[in-house]
């Protein structure tokens, strides 16, 4: 919920109500001072009221990132569901837990291990006598993926659920193409990891609030000569450590 906009606001309020069996957490960011707030618990229902008055406008500057990153806002997240004797589940995560879950999931970590999807690309890189350095092998792998697969212009954190469709139709979202690159680098014995981020239009990540909802894009990182490099397999006009503007947030 944004309490600020590109135009002045005289009065804005947010009312949130939820059963006490659900535990919510909230985060307030921005520079706009809170005018009034209340928290009530009546008949098993928790209600929060937030009021902001005389909020100044915040307009886009030609030389800055998306101004929405700086709007004052309130964000609610589910912390836990606790129904005594019936159901209990924690939803609070750390960034390490989120990373672990992604790498152990069938939909990300396991796809990177599927060498059958990339063996033709691996063979082509190994056959190229000009590919002697790690960087040259990564560049060639990316070039081959861009030649074989078309990015469908969709920015995604997760690959397509039916990944076989990507392989068959030679088209996929940004995560699909980076998964292919990561799988290729794995077979080339190049240390590589996926990197999740938020694009400019999606907004800045609140580091104190670990959540996959704040992330919407996946790129590739790899190691060479003791250094870490970054590359986006979805955009054929980008290169190693030359990420598209949308990824620099």
């Amino acid at each position: 919920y944004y309490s600020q906009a590109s135009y002045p606001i005289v009065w804005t309020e947010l009312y949130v109500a939820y059963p006490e069996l659900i535990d919510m957490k909230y985060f307030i960011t921005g520079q706009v001072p809170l005018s009034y707030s209340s928290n009530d618990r009546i008949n098993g229902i928790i209600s929060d009221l937030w009021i902001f008055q005389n909020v100044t406008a915040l307009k886009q500057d030609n030389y800055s990132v998306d101004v929405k990153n700086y709007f004052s806002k309130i964000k609610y997240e589910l912390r836990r569901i606790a129904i005594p004797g019936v159901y209990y589940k924690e939803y609070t995560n750390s960034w390490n837990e989120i990373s672990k879950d992604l790498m152990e999931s069938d939909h990300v970590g396991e796809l990177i291990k599927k060498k059958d999807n990339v063996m033709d690309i691996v063979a082509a890189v190994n056959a190229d006598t000009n590919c002697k350095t790690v960087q040259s092998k990564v560049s060639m792998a990316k070039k081959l993926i861009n030649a074989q697969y078309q990015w469908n212009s969709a920015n995604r954190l997760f690959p397509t659920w039916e990944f076989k469709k990507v392989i068959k139709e030679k088209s996929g979202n940004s995560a699909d193409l980076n998964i292919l690159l990561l799988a290729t680098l794995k077979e080339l014995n190049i240390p590589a990891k996926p990197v999740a981020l938020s694009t400019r239009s999606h907004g800045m990540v609140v580091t104190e609030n670990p959540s996959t909802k704040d992330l919407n894009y996946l790129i590739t990182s790899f190691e060479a000569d003791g250094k870490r490099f970054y590359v986006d397999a979805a955009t054929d006009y980008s290169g190693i450590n030359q990420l598209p503007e949308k990824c620099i947030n």
Side-chain angles (χ1 to χ4, degrees):
Y1 166 77
Y2 288 96
S3 57
Q4 192 171 29
S6 58
Y7 48 84
I9 299 174
V10 176
W11 179 293
T12 179
E13 65 179 59
L14 170 66
Y15 178 77
V16 180
Y18 50 92
E20 61 183 7
L21 298 176
I22 295 177
D23 186 14
M24 305 290 289
K25 59 181 178 179
Y26 62 85
F27 298 86
I28 302 178
T29 58
Q31 302 299 317
V32 175
L34 186 64
S35 300
Y36 174 81
S37 67
S38 66
N39 175 262
D40 298 311
R41 189 186 299 260
I42 302 174
N43 297 327
I45 300 296
I46 299 172
S47 58
D48 297 332
L49 176 63
W50 311 91
I51 296 176
F52 298 85
Q53 293 176 279
N54 301 317
V55 182
T56 57
L58 191 60
K59 297 185 178 181
Q60 180 69 50
D61 186 279
N62 293 332
Y63 302 99
S64 67
V65 298
D66 191 345
V67 71
K68 286 182 67 178
N69 286 324
Y70 304 101
F71 283 167
S72 292
K73 58 182 176 289
I74 300 175
K75 180 179 180 181
Y76 273 79
E77 288 273 344
L78 180 62
R79 187 195 302 271
R80 70 176 66 89
I81 298 177
I83 305 175
V86 178
Y87 182 82
Y88 182 88
K89 184 172 181 179
E90 290 274 355
Y91 288 88
T92 302
N93 291 314
S94 67
W95 290 116
N96 286 337
E97 288 175 334
I98 291 174
S99 175
K100 182 174 181 289
D101 289 345
L102 289 175
M103 291 308 297
E104 292 180 352
S105 71
D106 293 339
H107 204 44
V108 177
E110 289 302 315
L111 275 180
I112 296 173
K113 299 177 183 178
K114 288 188 177 295
K115 60 182 180 180
D116 292 345
N117 295 332
V118 296
M119 290 312 295
D120 57 332
I121 298 173
V122 173
V125 173
N126 284 328
D128 193 328
T129 56
N130 292 320
C131 292
K132 298 179 180 179
T133 66
V134 171
Q135 289 91 334
S136 62
K137 290 180 180 180
V138 173
S139 294
M140 178 55 68
K142 178 182 180 300
K143 181 178 179 180
L144 292 169
I145 290 171
N146 292 150
Q148 291 187 30
Y149 293 85
Q150 181 178 5
W151 175 43
N152 62 15
S153 298
N155 297 330
R156 296 289 184 271
L157 172 62
F158 296 104
T160 301
W161 187 256
E162 294 183 19
F163 202 74
K164 290 182 179 179
K165 185 177 180 181
V166 175
I167 303 300
K168 180 180 179 180
E169 298 182 359
K170 301 297 181 183
S171 176
N173 63 43
S174 58
D176 294 329
L177 272 64
N178 278 284
I179 288 291
L180 289 170
L181 179 57
L182 286 159
T184 301
L185 301 189
K186 180 180 180 298
E187 294 306 312
L188 292 171
N189 295 316
I190 297 174
K193 295 180 180 180
V195 173
L197 54 82
S198 174
T199 58
R200 284 193 174 189
S201 60
H202 192 65
M204 290 183 177
V205 173
V206 180
T207 56
E208 297 84 2
N209 176 28
S211 173
T212 54
K213 292 181 180 179
D214 284 346
L215 308 169
N216 73 321
Y217 205 80
L218 192 77
I219 62 172
T220 300
S221 72
F222 66 93
E223 293 182 15
D225 303 323
K227 299 179 181 179
R228 182 161 293 279
F229 299 85
Y230 300 89
V231 62
D232 177 24
T235 47
D236 55 8
Y237 56 82
S238 64
I240 296 173
N241 278 354
Q242 295 177 327
L243 297 176
E245 184 177 298
K246 64 184 177 184
C247 294
I248 304 172
N249 189 9

